[in-house]
């Protein structure tokens, strides 16, 4: 590697002459040889996708996407709403000069007016959905996308909502999308289970990570969907953020987390988000080797054993509690106070719940609630409930 | 235990008290306000905006308050995102801004696009949206945006460092703030970027404002070191690198400030020199 230490202009404009002769170089990472890349078939789509794809959502750097493409990553995942459309625009500007059949592009469009329960409203119209998709195609500068996901389905009811289903089917027929999918990150097991028995969906993008407490149900649903020929793409494989604790002192072994997801053969590819070349470097190595090393297995085990502060909301605790306390809400209050130093938020929630300052006081002996995240539920409830006695003016 | 928790809450009180006021949604004539959304925090922002949440978290997201204004079938939704400071609010706002939008004078800056009015002010990034096409509703939405901006406290100016970018060739409303991983490098953080076009040449200028001259030099030298240049003992402060991913990079620093230019060819040092000198006076 040649080095130019007297670079640009230490000596004024004249320095430029030296620059052209011997620039220093940041080397690119090594490519994985094509024949070593592990491909999986994305269900009935027949698309052969490398096990690592690219969740572009946060990246604003086309050079990073170009590098990923050069290293063997072929499926790029964006959405109509990411960066208010700038994400799609960036990808469009990059890929306009590439052979269209040399990469796969997936985007997502969110139906308008979806309630918090995941059900449609009067605002959920085909016109709005079509208009957004049309905007996406314009930004992407493409005639079609390979996968169009209906963004964020959390209620199985939405799978049968004709204005949207018929719209995506029409787009597929017109050749503007090759395959129909949806993304889900709440109530995933129920939604995937329901989709598996319908013939409409080619691909499902689901959150999938080692920390989900409803593993059994989710795996069963994913398996059923994969058996039915639906391609399965995993997101949120790092269990949200890459750290085990809110203080960000315990980083997750990201390679292990991604390999763990891929250890399920029903998962066809993953879309880790990347904003750094270092992250790309790490993920590119997985392209050719998804086997968990002994250390990585250990790291996953350790990570799984960390209860942390985040309640996954599985609600298994509620029937186990003799008072039927809304334990997930109480755990949330605990997290607000201790995780986010936001006692006023915790107080508001406790006030809404109306459980008093020690709801467990009449329960003698050991607590019958066995938390799937291994929280000591009784201790946490006792601890956080005292907040209700703190004068509100002290917290507001 | 009681002492511990009270102490914690006292400490929390002082830390949260400095975060500024809780947003209060203003009335809008003829509309009913629905505010039964939870207050979204970093932990559950995903529930509201899905994968876009990561971008907000990267810009110091604190919390989100949501309200819906309803009149008959017409709905106007207001989302008030609070970030850790003014620069972060500008960062997330600018990452979602496009120069093609119609800009309006709401807050520090705002725009109207496809039934949405987005603006930032102080630590807040506000997004207001309606799916209605009725002129009356769109007018009500504008009124609401103005009222929300009036209620929120905070700075109504653009980040002052933007004035340091030379004006010649600068593309309007394309300035951004990047909090993490500038140019995809983990050692480059917290930069303002402006886009330039001179003739057919399109290039970006990044300004990093460190807390000290030592920090700036350390960051610049980390970039040099990653390019294989041994920065030990160098007294120079202007270099050209060939970044294997980002192409030719012009790197210079002075005092607390670093300037990086990307997008120019290595034989365009004259242009780089001119702009760099304009910033590192």
């Amino acid at each position: 590697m040649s080095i130019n230490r007297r670079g640009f202009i230490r000596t004024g404009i004249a320095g430029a002459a030296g620059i052209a002769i011997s620039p220093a170089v940041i080397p690119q990472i090594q490519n994985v040889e094509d024949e070593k890349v592990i491909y999986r078939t994305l269900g009935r789509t027949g698309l052969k996708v490398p096990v690592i794809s690219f969740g572009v959502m946060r990246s604003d750097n086309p050079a990073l996407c170009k590098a990923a493409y050069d290293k063997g990553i072929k499926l790029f995942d964006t959405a109509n709403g990411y960066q208010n459309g700038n994400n799609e625009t960036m990808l469009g500007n990059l890929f306009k000069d590439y052979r269209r059949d040399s990469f796969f592009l997936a985007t997502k469009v969110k139906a308008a007016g979806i309630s918090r329960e995941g059900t449609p409203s009067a605002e959920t119209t085909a016109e709005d959905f079509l208009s957004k998709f049309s905007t996406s195609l314009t930004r992407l500068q493409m005639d079609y996308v390979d996968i169009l996901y209906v963004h964020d389905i959390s209620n199985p009811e939405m799978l049968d909502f004709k204005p949207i289903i018929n719209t995506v089917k029409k787009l597929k027929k017109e050749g503007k999308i090759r395959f129909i999918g949806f993304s889900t990150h709440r109530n995933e097991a129920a939604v995937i289970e329901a989709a598996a028995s319908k013939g409409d969906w080619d691909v499902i993008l689901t959150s999938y990570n080692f920390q989900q407490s409803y593993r059994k149900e989710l795996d069963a649903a994913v398996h059923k969907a994969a058996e039915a020929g639906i391609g399965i793409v995993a997101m949120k494989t790092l269990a949200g953020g890459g750290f085990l604790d809110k203080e960000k002192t315990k980083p997750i072994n990201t390679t292990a987390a991604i390999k763990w997801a891929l250890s399920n053969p029903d998962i066809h590819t993953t879309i880790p988000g990347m904003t750094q070349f270092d992250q790309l470097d790490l993920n590119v190595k997985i392209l050719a080797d998804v086997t968990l090393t002994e250390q990585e297995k250990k790291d996953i085990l350790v990570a799984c054993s960390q209860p942390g502060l985040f309640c996954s909301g599985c609600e298994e605790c509620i029937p186990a509690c003799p008072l039927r306390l809304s334990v997930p809400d109480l755990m949330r209050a605990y997290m607000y106070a201790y995780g986010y130093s936001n006692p006023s938020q915790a107080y508001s929630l406790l006030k809404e719940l109306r459980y008093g300052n020690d709801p467990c006081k009449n329960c003698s002996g050991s607590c019958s609630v066995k938390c799937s995240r291994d929280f000591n539920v009784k201790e946490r409830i006792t601890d956080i409930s005292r907040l209700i006695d703190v004068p509100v003016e002290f917290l507001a | 235990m009681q002492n511990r928790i009270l102490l914690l809450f006292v400490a929390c009180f002082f830390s949260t008290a400095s975060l500024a006021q809780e947003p209060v949604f203003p009335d809008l004539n003829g509309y009913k306000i629905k505010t039964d959304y939870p207050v979204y925090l970093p932990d559950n922002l995903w529930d509201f905006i899905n994968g876009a949440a990561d971008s907000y978290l990267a810009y110091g997201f604190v919390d989100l308050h949501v309200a819906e204004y309803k009149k008959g079938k017409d709905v106007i939704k207001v989302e008030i995102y609070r970030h850790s400071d003014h620069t972060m609010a500008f960062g997330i706002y600018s990452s979602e801004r496009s120069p093609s939008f119609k800009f309006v004078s709401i807050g520090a800056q705002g725009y109207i696009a496809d039934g949405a009015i987005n603006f930032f002010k102080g630590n807040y990034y506000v997004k207001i949206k309606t799916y209605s096409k009725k002129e009356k509703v769109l007018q009500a939405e504008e009124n609401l945006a103005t009222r929300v901006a009036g209620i929120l406290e905070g700075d109504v100016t653009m980040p002052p460092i933007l004035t340091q970018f030379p004006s010649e060739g600068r593309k309007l409303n394309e300035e951004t703030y990047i909090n993490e991983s500038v140019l995809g490098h983990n050692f480059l953080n917290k930069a303002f970027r402006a886009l330039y076009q001179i003739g057919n040449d399109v290039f970006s200028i990044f300004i990093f404002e460190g807390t000290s001259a030592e920090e700036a030099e350390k960051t610049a030298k980390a970039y040099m070191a990653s390019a294989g240049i041994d920065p030990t003992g160098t007294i120079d402060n202007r270099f050209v690198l060939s970044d294997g991913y980002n192409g030719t990079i012009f790197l210079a620093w002075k005092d607390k400030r670093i300037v990086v230019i990307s997008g120019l060819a290595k034989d365009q040092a004259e242009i780089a020199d001119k702009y760099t000198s304009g910033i590192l006076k």
Side-chain angles (χ1 to χ4, degrees):
Chain A
M1 182 187 301
S2 57
I3 295 172
N4 169 32
R5 299 188 56 174
R6 280 282 172 193
F8 100 84
I9 331 216
R10 168 74 180 153
T11 53
I13 302 303
I19 300 159
I21 297 166
S22 55
V25 174
I26 291 178
Q28 291 201 13
I29 54 176
Q30 292 296 305
N31 289 4
V32 174
E33 291 170 43
D34 275 353
E35 61 270 22
K36 288 187 178 169
V37 172
I38 301 167
Y39 290 87
R40 291 182 182 173
T41 302
L42 192 61
R44 71 168 74 100
T45 71
L47 301 181
K48 307 279 186 201
V49 288
V51 287
I52 297 292
S53 297
F54 193 154
V56 186
M57 57 198 175
R58 271 186 63 203
S59 179
D60 61 353
N61 185 359
L64 187 62
C65 300
K66 180 182 182 304
Y69 175 88
D70 291 342
K71 307 301 166 200
I73 290 173
K74 296 301 170 209
L75 171 60
F76 294 80
D77 182 283
T78 181
N80 175 277
Y82 291 168
Q83 297 169 333
N84 205 15
N86 289 338
N87 203 250
E88 288 181 330
T89 301
M90 184 268 290
L91 285 172
N93 287 335
L94 173 68
F95 281 122
K96 67 183 178 190
D97 298 324
Y98 286 61
R99 256 184 45 200
R100 184 61 188 87
D101 62 357
S102 69
F103 64 91
F104 304 124
L105 195 291
T107 194
K108 313 178 198 80
V109 170
K110 189 161 185 168
I114 302 296
S115 72
R116 282 167 57 199
E117 292 72 38
T119 51
S121 69
E123 288 181 335
T124 317
T125 63
E127 291 72 25
D128 168 75
F129 192 90
L130 270 174
S131 167
K132 286 177 184 161
F133 176 69
S134 172
T135 302
S136 288
L137 273 189
T138 303
R139 291 173 184 151
L140 289 163
Q141 302 176 58
M142 293 173 191
D143 298 324
Y144 67 90
V145 296
D146 297 282
I147 304 167
L148 173 64
Y149 296 110
V150 178
H151 204 159
D152 183 19
I153 292 187
S154 61
N155 189 324
E157 260 186 57
M158 267 305 287
L159 298 173
D160 295 316
F161 185 63
K162 293 298 177 197
I164 300 300
I165 304 305
N166 290 341
T167 298
V168 288
K169 282 183 177 173
K170 183 166 170 277
L171 288 169
K172 186 176 178 181
K173 204 171 175 183
E174 291 171 352
K176 291 180 179 172
I177 60 177
R178 293 179 68 195
F179 303 106
I180 297 170
F182 67 84
S183 65
T184 179
H185 62 90
R186 272 181 300 154
N187 198 22
E188 304 95 318
V191 177
I192 296 170
E193 162 83 21
S197 50
K198 301 177 191 296
D200 298 329
W201 306 96
D202 302 313
V203 188
I204 295 172
L205 171 62
T206 180
S207 56
Y208 191 85
N209 63 64
F210 61 89
Q211 283 199 326
Q212 287 161 310
S213 58
Y214 40 97
R215 163 84 18 249
K216 201 174 155 189
E217 294 81 1
L218 183 57
D219 276 344
V222 162
H223 184 65
K224 186 177 170 187
E227 286 278 290
I230 299 175
I232 307 291
V233 181
M235 63 175 165
K236 292 179 82 175
T237 47
L238 304 186
F243 288 88
L244 291 169
D245 60 338
K246 300 300 178 196
E247 296 76 26
K248 297 190 173 181
T249 59
K250 297 176 183 170
I252 288 171
N253 181 333
T254 56
T255 297
I258 294 170
K259 285 183 176 179
W260 179 89
L262 289 166
S263 67
N264 181 344
D266 293 328
I267 301 295
H268 302 131
T269 188
T270 60
I271 55 162
M274 294 179 259
T275 56
Q276 299 173 1
F277 293 107
D278 287 355
Q279 294 166 337
L280 175 62
D281 193 5
L282 280 174
N283 292 341
V284 160
K285 288 176 185 162
I286 305 174
L287 276 176
D289 182 9
V290 297
T291 311
L292 283 159
T293 64
E294 287 308 310
Q295 183 59 48
E296 288 164 349
K297 285 178 189 169
K298 198 175 155 191
D299 288 345
I300 289 291
L301 276 175
V302 169
C304 287
S305 69
Q306 301 281 324
L309 290 164
F310 177 64
C311 167
S312 62
C314 70
E315 300 189 352
E316 286 172 24
C317 46
I318 296 176
C321 172
L323 295 173
R324 299 290 187 271
L325 295 176
S326 182
V327 178
D329 285 327
L330 289 161
M331 295 302 102
R332 203 146 50 88
Y334 187 91
M335 182 184 70
Y336 290 158
Y338 287 104
Y340 298 122
S341 299
N342 193 342
S344 58
Q345 181 69 14
Y347 179 88
S348 301
L349 184 52
L350 291 170
K351 197 176 167 198
E352 206 177 295
L353 292 170
R354 298 179 182 179
Y355 290 151
N357 64 3
D358 189 5
C360 299
K361 66 184 171 193
N362 294 326
C363 263
S364 56
S366 62
C367 178
S368 56
V369 173
K370 299 294 175 208
C371 172
S372 62
R373 297 294 310 278
D374 212 23
F375 291 168
N376 186 330
V377 167
K378 187 174 180 179
E379 185 179 290
R380 290 190 181 199
I381 291 175
T382 304
D383 194 344
I384 194 61
S385 297
R386 297 175 189 211
L387 180 61
I388 206 73
D389 288 338
V390 175
V392 66
E393 60 272 19
F394 212 49
L395 304 170
Chain B
M1 175 62 95
Q2 195 161 21
N3 286 342
R4 181 188 139 218
I5 198 163
L6 278 171
L7 278 173
L8 171 75
F9 292 147
V10 170
C12 289
F13 165 69
F14 285 113
S15 63
T16 53
S18 63
L19 289 176
Q21 94 269 32
E22 294 292 318
V24 177
F25 291 97
D27 291 330
L28 186 63
N29 196 20
Y31 284 78
K32 283 184 181 170
I33 309 177
K34 183 183 164 198
T35 56
D36 60 353
Y37 283 84
V39 177
Y40 292 93
L41 295 168
D43 170 68
N44 63 353
L45 186 60
W46 254 88
D47 291 343
F48 191 68
I49 56 172
N50 318 123
D54 283 344
S55 292
Y56 285 71
L57 298 178
Y59 284 104
F61 169 79
V62 175
D63 59 26
L64 163 65
H65 294 255
V66 183
E68 280 181 1
Y69 288 73
K70 285 192 173 180
K71 186 178 183 181
K73 287 184 178 176
D74 298 319
V75 180
I76 304 172
K77 195 169 186 177
V78 181
E79 301 166 11
I80 302 178
Y81 296 83
R82 179 160 48 183
H83 290 260
S84 54
D85 60 40
H86 181 61
T87 299
M88 293 293 205
F90 170 73
I92 187 65
Y93 164 79
S94 63
S95 77
E96 298 194 339
R97 176 179 62 169
S98 166
S100 63
F101 294 150
K102 178 189 167 192
F103 286 87
V104 291
S105 183
I106 300 178
Q109 189 189 64
Y111 59 78
I112 299 176
D114 300 327
I117 301 177
N118 297 351
F119 68 88
F120 86 105
K121 178 180 179 183
N123 298 1
Y124 298 99
Y125 176 34
V126 180
K127 301 174 80 168
I128 304 178
K129 172 82 180 171
T130 181
Y131 289 98
S132 173
K133 307 288 181 202
K134 295 176 196 164
E135 191 54 42
K136 275 188 175 178
V137 179
L138 295 173
Q139 188 56 52
E141 185 189 28
E142 280 199 55
N143 291 342
L144 181 57
T146 306
R147 287 181 186 204
V148 172
I151 281 171
L152 295 175
E153 290 176 357
D155 198 341
V156 290
T157 61
M158 298 295 269
I161 199 167
L162 295 180
T163 61
Q164 299 299 305
F165 285 103
S167 57
E168 186 184 347
R170 179 171 156 187
K171 298 177 90 173
L172 280 180
N173 293 317
E174 297 229 26
E175 305 86 356
T176 55
Y177 174 73
I178 304 167
N179 193 42
E180 296 174 357
S181 310
V182 180
L183 288 165
H185 293 303
N186 60 7
F187 47 82
L188 293 179
N189 298 299
K190 303 185 188 307
F192 287 86
R193 178 182 66 188
L195 275 182
Y196 285 81
Q197 181 158 19
I198 295 181
N200 291 326
D201 294 321
V202 177
F203 58 96
S204 296
I205 299 181
F206 299 84
I207 300 179
F208 301 74
E209 192 84 338
T211 54
S212 66
E214 291 73 28
E215 185 196 8
E217 184 175 351
K218 190 178 165 191
T219 301
K221 288 186 173 177
Y223 203 175
M224 290 166 62
S226 75
I229 302 173
D230 178 4
T232 312
T234 182
I235 55 166
D236 291 345
N237 62 359
R238 294 193 183 196
F239 290 85
V240 62
L241 320 169
S242 184
D243 180 326
Y245 294 111
N246 296 297
T248 298
I249 294 291
F250 292 90
L251 167 70
W253 69 95
K254 184 180 177 185
D255 300 327
K256 296 191 291 184
R257 188 171 288 174
I258 301 171
V259 174
V260 167
I261 301 179
S262 75
L264 289 174
K266 56 193 172 187
D267 60 357
Q268 292 180 298
E270 195 173 339
I271 298 173
D273 186 42
K274 178 179 150 191
Y275 279 91
T276 302
S277 298
I279 300 166
L280 299 178
K281 291 168 189 163

